[in-house]
Amino acid sequence: MKGALFDLDGVIADTAVFHFKAWRKLIKDNFDRELPDELEEKTKGVSRSDSLKVILDYLKIDLPQAEFNRLAAEKNNVYRGYLQTLTEKDILPGMAKLISDLKEHGVKLALASASQNGPFILEKLGLSEAFDAVADPTKVAKGKPAPDIYLAAADALGFKPEDCVGFEDAIAGVTAINDAHAVSIGIGSKKEVGKADFCFDKTVDINYADVKRAWENFHE
Ligand code: BG6
Ligand code: MG
C-alpha cells in the first residue's frame, strides 16, 4: 500500500450536507420548488454541473446555457458562504488520526475530489501540508462515476492505482475507485457504498491497521 486517495466531501470534511443545503436554497430562491431527500445521494460525488443537470431533470426544467451557468455559479456562492466557518473541528471523527498514521507509515496522500473547492477546504481544515498531491477535477475528461480522477490522483503520486487505497462515501465515487482498480474503502450504509471492497459505517470506525489489512486481504 503505497498511496491513499481521498474523496473530500463526506470523507474528510463534514461538507456533504452543505452541498445539498445550497442546492435546496438555490432551487427555492429561483423556482420556489423543493428537492426530495433522495436527490442528495444522486448528487453526491457528482460534479457541480452534472449535479445541476440531475436536479433540473428531476424538476423537468430546461434552461439556456447562460442561465444554467449562472445557477451553477450562484450555488457555488451559497456553498462558499456555508464554508466560511469551517475549521479543523469540521474534520470528520477519526480522519485526522488516519491521515497522520498513514503518513507515519510512509503512505503518500492524494486528493481525488470532484470539488473545485478542494484546495480551499483543505486549507481551512489545516490539511494542505498533509497532502502530497491534489488531482484537479477540471483537468480530467470525465467526472465520477468515471475512474479518471482516481487515475489522475494515483498518477500524481507516481503510483499505479493497484498500489493505492481509495476512500469514498458515495455510490459514484466507489464505482470510480473500482473502475480505477484501486482498493475501495466505502464509508456509510450498504445502500450507499455496498459495492466497495471494504465498508465501514462511519469515519470514526476506520483505522490504519484495518485499512492495511483490507489492502493485504484484497491482494492475497
Ligand atoms: C463532490 C460533492 O465532492 O464535489 C458533490 O460530493 C459536488 O456534491 C462536487 O457537486 C463538486 O463540488 P464543487 O465544490 O466543485 O461544486
Ligand atoms: Mg464524498
Side-chain angles (χ1 to χ4, degrees):
M1 186 170 81
K2 295 179 181 169
L5 317 175
F6 282 88
D7 175 44
L8 175 62
D9 298 311
V11 168
I12 297 175
D14 201 3
T15 43
V17 285
F18 293 148
H19 276 292
F20 201 58
K21 198 175 155 192
W23 285 123
R24 280 195 152 137
K25 178 166 166 41
L26 180 88
I27 297 306
K28 181 79 191 155
D29 290 354
N30 285 272
F31 304 104
D32 199 23
R33 302 270 305 266
E34 309 289 338
L35 297 178
D37 292 348
E38 69 257 28
L39 275 189
E40 182 164 4
E41 185 57 41
K42 295 202 172 117
T43 54
K44 255 193 209 170
V46 177
S47 76
R48 194 181 311 158
S49 56
D50 286 349
S51 296
L52 183 52
K53 276 183 206 144
V54 167
I55 289 167
L56 293 176
D57 270 1
Y58 167 82
L59 295 171
K60 302 202 174 9
I61 294 173
D62 198 19
L63 294 174
Q65 191 61 42
E67 180 60 1
F68 182 97
N69 294 348
R70 187 193 67 73
L71 286 173
E74 184 180 330
K75 183 268 179 177
N76 195 47
N77 286 337
V78 175
Y79 177 63
R80 293 278 291 223
Y82 296 150
L83 297 182
Q84 285 313 313
T85 57
L86 211 66
T87 68
E88 285 173 22
K89 293 200 186 82
D90 298 290
I91 298 176
L92 282 161
M95 293 314 273
K97 167 105 174 84
L98 176 68
I99 285 170
S100 70
D101 286 352
L102 284 163
K103 291 184 73 66
E104 212 164 278
H105 287 87
V107 178
K108 299 274 186 213
L109 269 51
L111 197 71
S113 171
S115 174
Q116 296 175 53
N117 293 297
F120 172 74
I121 293 174
L122 285 186
E123 196 63 46
K124 285 251 173 207
L125 300 177
L127 287 175
S128 300
E129 300 298 306
F131 279 78
D132 301 282
V134 176
D136 183 345
T138 66
K139 299 270 161 64
V140 297
K142 287 190 185 156
K144 299 173 188 179
D148 304 30
I149 192 87
Y150 278 95
L151 296 173
D155 190 58
L157 295 177
F159 301 141
K160 290 186 288 190
E162 289 84 349
D163 294 331
C164 300
V165 285
F167 297 89
E168 271 287 352
D169 70 318
I171 298 173
V174 169
T175 305
I177 301 176
N178 289 347
D179 289 350
H181 302 297
V183 178
S184 54
I185 312 265
I187 303 154
S189 67
K190 280 261 175 272
K191 192 172 151 238
E192 287 168 324
V193 297
K195 297 226 166 76
D197 298 316
F198 299 91
C199 294
F200 294 89
D201 284 341
K202 296 198 167 77
T203 57
V204 72
D205 303 326
I206 310 175
N207 59 65
Y208 172 77
D210 285 344
V211 171
K212 186 161 179 276
R213 205 169 306 123
W215 192 85
E216 284 165 357
N217 285 347
F218 185 82
H219 287 277
E220 256 171 17

